[in-house]
Amino acid sequence: MPRLTLPDGTIKTFDAPLTVEQVAASIGAGLARAALAGRIDGRLVDLTTLLDGDGSLEIITPTSAEGLEILRHSTSHLMAQAVKELFPTAQVTIGPAVADGFYYDFDYERPFTPEDLEAIETRMALLVSQDLRIEREVMSRDAAVALFLGLGEHYKAEIIREIPQDQELSLYRQGTFVDLCRGPHVPSTGRLKVFKLTRVAGAYWRGNANNKMLQRIYGTAFGDKKALSAYLTLLEEAAKRDHRRLGRELDLFSIQDEAGGGLVLWHPMGARMRQVIETYWKETHGQAGYEFLYTPHMANLDLWRTSGHLDFYSESMFNPMTVDEQSYQIRPMNCPFHILIYRSKIRSHRDLPLRWAELGTVYRYEMSGVLHGLFRVRGFTQDDAHIFCRENQIEEEISGILDLTLQTLTTFGFTDFEINLSTRPAKSVGSDEIWEKATTALKNAITQRGLDFIEDVGGGAFYGPKIDVKITDAIGRKWQCSTIQLDFNLPERFDIRYIGEDGERHRPIMIHRALMGSLERFFGILIEHYAGHFPLWLAPVQAVVLTITEAYNDWAIQVQEQLRAAGLRVETDLRNQKISYKIREHAMKKTPWLLIVGEREQAEGAVSPRNRSGQELGLTSIDMIKQRLVLEASTRTATQ
RNA sequence: GCCGACGUAGCUCAAUUGGCAGAGCAACGGAUUUGUAAUCCGUAGGUUCGGGGUUCGAUUCCCCGCGUCGGCUCCA
């Protein structure tokens, strides 16, 4: 007699075994229609799963993340079925649900075309209208291998051979199509009504460039049409915010072939913003007890041999250049230089912790195909710092870095954080003891300020555990910028030490950390986060004084001078144009404040301010507007 | 690097089966002296990404190169 506990705590008992689907129907017809799968005691199962014992049961619908994932996974199978029917010689490989939808990789003699996608979509719709049952079947390994080899599906056979012996193999059949799959899946193709194939792309088998290139088709699926159109609207919104487009429109930066791909040219307006960001960075780091360093952009190759970068990082390094028969390497990182400064004299335990920061520009080789605006470049500036401390100072230092990180990110308008802690991987350097101590210190530092974290077990670098912080932007996208990384390796390689209280030599702990990560990338994120509507403290031009006619030029210039004297970034627009023309132009440049001056304003020593949202303040004295803008800029928050 | 799509004026985009390379905005010149999102007239602007081929003729078709864009991790 199944006795089932539902998520709201109610308990339902049945006098005979029944399927998840039947339970859903017993709760309500609406739920039965929406049901995609079930969760029994935490395990996701098909709707057709028979319940014969007690336990907790949750009905999964498209409103949950899992429901959406199942829906998309099933849609990817539906697509594979359509592809197999239209292109019988295509071999199926893998087809998972991913962040925004799903994909399926096929091995086919030619790439799929946009016309193929249309045909596939049409066939998918046909299969949906047939409402084919999707049925699970368990099979032995040998039988499964034989089945797929018989179907000419060599990739599937290869996959099965790699699945652990003791794991149960399941197949899903729908119509003539059969696929190896862990499941769960929706009960029939009729459930898959809202989907869209988005693009085709090449993708290597198993993501390895040495393997054959497969044809990947991307698509997405949703529980209802509204959700799909909301998603498409989001894509449009993201396109409007594209920093490459805004960067050009607002004249912030460019990347030009003549200089080289992935090398950023900061134009005056972008450079103004960068100055503001750097000034803020210096201010906060000074307050947090950091010292600042400047180090060279290249160094003798031997330095990179000692640091080990030549061994484990050479793929990302530019080729060395020869100078006076010696090899020099343009730097991909700043840390070896900071270590050299540490090692330049004997350090005492009293000197520690040393917090050394540098806006260090580094150059890394990225494959041409991955370059992308400011997000993926070949030359960028890190807001880098290295902390040298004693073992017993780790927790306090991490704690301080976390404070600074959250303070910085909040100031730039990000308030939603996800903290990831990555622990010791299989291959690593350093003793069990130090890993244990350090990892605990990291955890404590996070939990002590009441924050949650996601643990990525074994996800740390070989040289130490790390904390990454992800931010969520205005349209819900996540970005990882900040990283805090312990290093047990470099102090060893450079043999750096300090003299302890006991008079003996000890090895310091090194912490690498960057809060914004790369200034270029962070700038790109800011552009997209604010969609170019930068808060006053960041805006390259904070206000423009617009004249009604040339008769008021003198007053406009006086206004500009007075506001500039108060530290504001103010321009004038004295052109012989209608006021509405000028307003439109500066509105499109997303200037926070437009200060209009004409006869009345001049007579009263005033301006008529209009803010970015079109709000007019009316006649305002020069002192009033000065105060207001200075206050708004100094609070470093978005007020419009 | 690999797969695919694309590459026309500073920007956004046209150009019939292969038949004189165009428009809007921006720029520049002139007129207009204007009150809250585009005043009017004019001028200039091109090796159609580069190179080669087919053709009487190539922006258009073919080949090579360069660049841009979308992908190439998310496990059956």
Side-chain angles (χ1 to χ4, degrees), chain A residues 4-17:
Chain A
L4 301 169
T5 311
L6 301 177
D8 65 358
T10 61
I11 294 172
K12 291 204 107 172
T13 48
F14 299 90
D15 38 19

Side-chain angles (χ1 to χ4, degrees), chain A residues 118-297:
Chain A
E118 278 179 40
I120 295 165
E121 260 186 357
T122 307
R123 176 60 71 115
M124 287 167 73
L126 177 72
L127 296 170
V128 168
S129 70
Q130 291 171 354
D131 197 17
L132 304 167
R133 292 295 293 176
I134 299 175
E135 284 164 313
R136 185 171 195 270
E137 184 179 330
V138 174
M139 198 176 263
S140 76
R141 309 168 59 76
D142 293 345
V145 170
L147 172 70
F148 284 107
L149 285 180
L151 291 169
E153 301 285 5
H154 296 95
Y155 291 88
K156 286 289 172 193
E158 182 182 330
I159 291 163
I160 296 168
R161 290 201 193 94
E162 286 175 19
I163 294 174
Q165 291 289 344
D166 51 356
Q167 207 170 313
E168 185 179 82
L169 285 185
S170 57
L171 305 185
Y172 281 81
R173 282 184 195 276
Q174 52 195 77
T176 56
F177 179 69
V178 58
D179 200 356
L180 173 76
C181 191
R182 200 183 35 181
H185 279 289
V186 301
S188 70
T189 58
R191 300 299 181 105
L192 309 169
K193 290 212 167 66
V194 183
F195 55 82
K196 187 174 167 62
L197 302 187
T198 48
R199 56 183 173 266
V200 286
Y204 298 107
W205 169 233
R206 308 219 140 139
N208 184 336
N210 297 321
N211 289 342
K212 183 166 184 187
M213 178 155 285
L214 307 174
Q215 303 304 323
R216 174 171 296 182
I217 303 179
Y218 279 94
T220 191
F222 288 91
D224 58 74
K225 283 200 173 125
K226 243 169 102 178
L228 174 64
S229 72
Y231 171 73
L232 296 175
T233 308
L234 179 77
L235 289 188
E236 277 169 33
E237 178 58 27
K240 271 189 222 154
R241 289 167 180 258
D242 192 312
H243 72 281
R244 292 166 299 187
R245 168 193 171 136
L246 287 170
R248 188 177 55 234
E249 286 174 5
L250 305 180
D251 200 11
L252 301 173
F253 71 91
S254 62
I255 296 172
Q256 302 180 31
D257 299 347
E258 279 184 88
L263 300 172
V264 180
L265 307 172
W266 294 71
H267 297 201
M269 290 302 143
R272 278 191 188 185
M273 296 185 62
R274 175 161 168 173
Q275 295 247 30
V276 173
I277 295 168
E278 290 187 0
T279 302
Y280 168 76
W281 182 86
K282 284 177 191 158
E283 210 177 285
T284 52
H285 280 69
Q287 286 162 1
Y290 284 77
E291 298 284 350
F292 300 99
L293 308 179
Y294 296 96
T295 62
H297 284 213

Side-chain angles (χ1 to χ4, degrees), chain A residues 62-73:
Chain A
T63 53
S64 70
E66 295 91 338
L68 209 49
E69 202 181 313
I70 291 166
L71 194 72
R72 288 169 175 172
H73 191 185

